[in-house]
Amino acid sequence: MTSLATRTIINQHSLCAIQNSDPTNSVSSTEQKVVDQVLEALRQRTCFGGLFDSAERGEPPRCHPETRHAVISSTSSWLEGLAIQKYVRWILGWAGVGKSALAQSIAELFFKRGQLAASFFFSRATPDRDHIHTFVPTIAYQLATSVPGAREIIVQQMVRDATIFEKSFDGQWKALVVETLRKVPPPSVPMLIIIDGIDECESLDEQRTLLESIIGCADRLGPSFKLLIASRPERQIQRVFDQFPSIDKVELGNSEQCDADIGLFLRQSLGDIRRVYEHRGAPITAAGSSWPIDDTIQKLVAKASGQFIYASVVVQFVKSHQGDPKVPLDLVLQSWSKSFEALDNLYLIVMENIQKSIPKKRRPLLHHLMVCILMDLVSSYNSDLSSFCPKELDKPLIKVLLGSLHPVVDSNGRFRHITFCNFLTRPSNPHPFSITSRHVSRITYRALRSLLEEPRSPWVKAKSLFCLLHSSPTPKLIFRLAFLPQKVFEGSQPILENDQVLWHPTWLSRLLLGWLRVRVSNYDLPVFLEQISSPKHPTAQ
């Protein structure tokens, strides 16, 4: 593939013509070819999975049509208020309050209105969306297609500096986004850039770098372009926002309006379930057409404590039940464990009922599958887990078990929400479904042995290895992966083809170390490497 720098040299005459041209003028066929080449270079750096309507995100969470009217309406007023000197709106709240669903609904609404300039949804579960390296190209590529006049300016910027993507994040943002939006003709309607889940970035330094750059330059975008940021109020994020007092903040959580929205969502969703059940000719016991009664809704709203995810899990749990929907809902209302928060207790109820529906001999396989889901192996390997699981856990059984896990697992084979991952891995409240670093390590060992022993293509092995090594969902489990015993690699034979070494176990060791260097970049690397190489470490035995 020809690099952008090479193309610049080859097409120097045409590029000069583009640099000196008026963006409103048409270009020749040769110049158009150069424009297409430059845009292709930008496209190749774009993370399309971060867009609000990407296929990779599957069916993303969104607000119920009758909820969040107040926040959405105020966002419209804020964007339209050209005299308001607040160019950044921060929607903040802790896990489960519905930030991503709200960001998704706002993105869809403003896209229909022609007011969405760009969007990016971070995700720690996806390799291309847990860092900021693709962020600027992705935003720039969207601006080139959504903002009149932006494409030509972005092309000129890239032509002027062919090494632009070798520069710092701040330099890229100013060159491709800030300068572009300053130079374009004012759009007929104000436009919005939406950024969700900055706290999903693995690196805390990258979170700070991104926020300081985009917020620090927000007033230079002009009144026609504003930024909407949704994230948790983590300490490092809060500190950056505190540096900029002119931020428009909207906090989601435990409020009367939030409780009213959750109540409305529960009432309508459970009512829909009741109507489907009654359509089958089986009326709900006791409550009948009045189910769910107002007292039930009020109790559920109180348990939710402002967390929309609680209400969503309740609905998914009741919907997945094959019989009278009143039965699972009564379990939610009646069961309680003082050692768990309301959401964790709900997850416990859901999992206990799922387990009861599965034959005893298959229950260990259910837990094994959940570990694979947590490691993002099910979606990555299209349910072919032969390298990671006992042979009994074949594709047909995985399909059956995934169906049972529907209340907590989406159609892509991933857990629906980070709060369920927290429920599984939180060491402070162990339960029968807890997943520890030992469970993850066991699958990792099995997979690495399989990679070394099975006569697979070396490229398949490489892909499998990197997918596996990227799958650790928490820092603690990342560290655990570092403690793989050397015996996994000892005694393994190189893979030969025509007397040429295609794959060698030593290379796997080097790949592992290289991956670890990236993943532990936020930690003291020398100390870390010393710890994992120490024979006295308990996991090195």
Side-chain angles (χ1 to χ4, degrees):
M1 184 180 299
T2 307
S3 68
L4 180 58
T6 304
R7 289 173 185 155
T8 303
I9 296 172
I10 294 174
N11 299 284
Q12 189 65 46
H13 177 75
S14 298
L15 296 183
C16 290
I18 294 176
Q19 289 176 355
N20 299 323
S21 67
D22 184 337
T24 60
N25 293 338
S26 60
V27 295
S28 68
S29 59
T30 303
E31 292 167 350
Q32 183 60 51
K33 184 177 180 180
V34 175
V35 170
D36 293 341
Q37 289 177 336
V38 174
L39 289 177
E40 175 61 19
L42 180 61
R43 189 193 70 81
Q44 291 179 8
R45 293 178 177 270
T46 297
C47 173
F48 291 100
L51 277 59
F52 83 98
D53 56 353
S54 71
E56 178 183 295
R57 297 180 62 225
E59 188 65 20
R62 52 175 60 85
C63 299
H64 187 277
E66 300 300 322
T67 62
R68 299 298 196 190
H69 283 178
V71 179
I72 294 175
S73 176
S74 68
T75 299
S76 296
S77 300
W78 161 76
L79 181 62
E80 298 288 348
L82 300 182
I84 300 177
Q85 299 301 310
K86 291 186 176 182
Y87 300 112
V88 179
R89 166 168 274 210
W90 181 27
I91 296 179
L92 64 148
W94 294 108
V97 298
K99 302 181 298 298
S100 293
L102 179 58
Q104 178 70 26
S105 294
I106 291 176
E108 292 175 355
L109 175 63
F110 282 73
F111 177 76
K112 292 178 180 177
R113 294 178 177 176
Q115 293 183 276
L116 182 65
S119 65
F120 197 98
F121 286 73
F122 285 95
S123 172
R124 64 168 54 89
T126 309
D128 290 340
R129 294 193 282 135
D130 65 351
H131 55 76
I132 64 174
H133 307 308
T134 60
F135 179 81
V136 173
T138 304
I139 296 296
Y141 189 83
Q142 293 175 83
L143 295 179
T145 60
S146 64
V147 179
R151 185 184 68 167
E152 292 78 7
I153 298 173
I154 290 172
V155 168
Q156 289 176 9
Q157 292 288 86
M158 292 179 65
V159 166
R160 188 175 294 115
D161 186 357
T163 64
I164 194 166
F165 292 116
E166 305 304 320
K167 298 185 180 300
S168 66
F169 177 89
D170 187 66
Q172 293 180 39
W173 178 258
K174 289 178 179 176
L176 292 179
V177 177
V178 177
E179 289 304 308
T180 297
L181 297 184
R182 284 182 63 246
K183 294 177 180 178
V184 296
S188 58
V189 290
M191 303 190 75
L192 189 63
I193 298 175
I194 297 177
I195 307 162
D196 175 69
I198 292 177
D199 50 278
E200 299 271 327
C201 277
E202 290 283 358
S203 169
L204 303 186
D205 287 340
E206 287 188 357
Q207 294 178 19
R208 184 176 62 254
T209 296
L210 184 148
L211 287 172
E212 288 178 347
S213 294
I214 65 176
I215 298 176
C217 298
D219 59 343
R220 295 171 55 187
L221 302 179
S224 296
F225 298 96
K226 294 184 179 180
L227 300 172
L228 178 71
I229 302 172
S231 76
R232 300 186 198 182
E234 303 282 3
R235 183 188 307 175
Q236 70 281 0
I237 293 177
Q238 182 72 60
R239 285 176 178 172
V240 176
F241 277 102
D242 288 345
Q243 300 174 27
F244 303 94
S246 61
I247 300 293
D248 188 65
K249 296 183 181 181
V250 178
E251 184 169 2
L252 304 181
N254 207 353
S255 65
E256 289 186 7
Q257 183 60 55
C258 184
D259 287 348
D261 285 343
I262 292 175
L264 177 62
F265 168 74
L266 285 167
R267 189 172 287 105
Q268 293 195 1
S269 299
L270 294 175
D272 291 341
I273 294 173
R274 182 197 71 230
R275 284 184 285 274
V276 170
Y277 185 68
E278 290 176 338
H279 183 70
R280 300 172 184 167
I284 293 178
T285 57
S289 60
S290 62
W291 183 89
I293 60 176
D294 288 341
D295 182 60
T296 296
I297 298 298
Q298 291 173 8
K299 288 179 179 178
L300 292 172
V301 170
K303 286 177 177 286
S305 299
Q307 290 183 296
F308 249 97
I309 186 60
Y310 182 94
S312 179
V313 173
V314 168
V315 170
Q316 291 291 343
F317 178 46
V318 174
K319 185 186 296 185
S320 66
H321 187 69
Q322 298 299 314
D324 188 343
K326 186 175 182 297
V327 174
L329 190 61
D330 286 347
L331 285 174
V332 174
L333 294 170
Q334 296 167 7
S335 301
W336 183 253
S337 172
K338 292 184 179 180
S339 62
F340 289 88
E341 297 292 337
L343 184 56
D344 278 1
N345 184 66
L346 173 60
Y347 282 137
L348 187 61
I349 295 168
V350 171
M351 288 309 304
E352 286 174 344
N353 278 268
I354 290 174
Q355 188 180 64
K356 289 177 183 177
S357 68
I358 297 172
K360 287 186 177 181
K361 65 179 182 179
R362 289 183 172 179
R363 291 176 185 176
L365 297 177
L366 174 68
H367 189 267
H368 204 104
L369 177 61
M370 290 172 62
V371 178
C372 290
I373 296 173
L374 185 69
M375 297 176 70
D376 201 30
L377 300 177
V378 176
S379 59
S380 300
Y381 284 85
N382 194 26
S383 297
D384 180 11
L385 304 180
S386 56
S387 298
F388 311 100
C389 304
K391 62 181 180 180
E392 295 84 1
L393 193 56
D394 54 18
K395 271 194 171 185
L397 180 57
I398 289 174
K399 185 176 181 180
V400 172
L401 295 179
L402 287 176
S404 300
L405 290 168
H406 177 73
V408 291
V409 175
D410 63 21
S411 59
N412 293 322
R414 294 190 174 102
F415 290 129
R416 293 184 182 275
H417 201 266
I418 188 62
T419 53
F420 187 70
C421 299
N422 295 339
F423 162 76
L424 293 176
T425 59
R426 187 179 292 118
S428 58
N429 280 319
H431 49 78
F433 309 99
S434 293
I435 295 177
T436 66
S437 57
R438 179 178 300 177
H439 296 120
V440 174
S441 296
R442 190 175 301 156
I443 290 180
T444 304
Y445 300 158
R446 185 186 186 100
L448 286 174
R449 289 192 184 98
S450 176
L451 285 173
L452 290 170
E453 295 170 0
E454 295 183 8
R456 296 185 176 185
S457 159
W459 304 115
V460 172
K461 286 176 177 284
K463 178 182 177 182
S464 299
L465 179 70
F466 282 115
C467 181
L468 175 71
L469 295 181
H470 188 83
S471 63
S472 182
T474 66
K476 182 172 290 187
L477 297 185
I478 292 173
F479 273 81
R480 179 66 184 183
L481 280 175
F483 307 139
L484 293 169
Q486 290 297 316
K487 63 182 181 181
V488 172
F489 301 103
E490 291 176 358
S492 299
Q493 297 299 317
I495 297 176
L496 303 177
E497 185 174 293
N498 298 327
D499 296 326
Q500 297 293 319
V501 177
L502 293 182
W503 197 254
H504 196 283
T506 303
W507 301 346
L508 286 176
S509 300
R510 291 174 179 173
L511 285 172
L512 173 62
L513 182 60
W515 172 82
L516 288 171
R517 287 181 182 276
V518 175
R519 299 288 280 187
V520 301
S521 59
N522 289 330
Y523 305 98
D524 189 337
L525 186 58
V527 174
F528 176 75
L529 293 177
E530 182 180 353
Q531 289 175 344
I532 67 175
S533 61
S534 172
K536 296 182 180 180
H537 197 282
T539 56
Q541 299 176 357

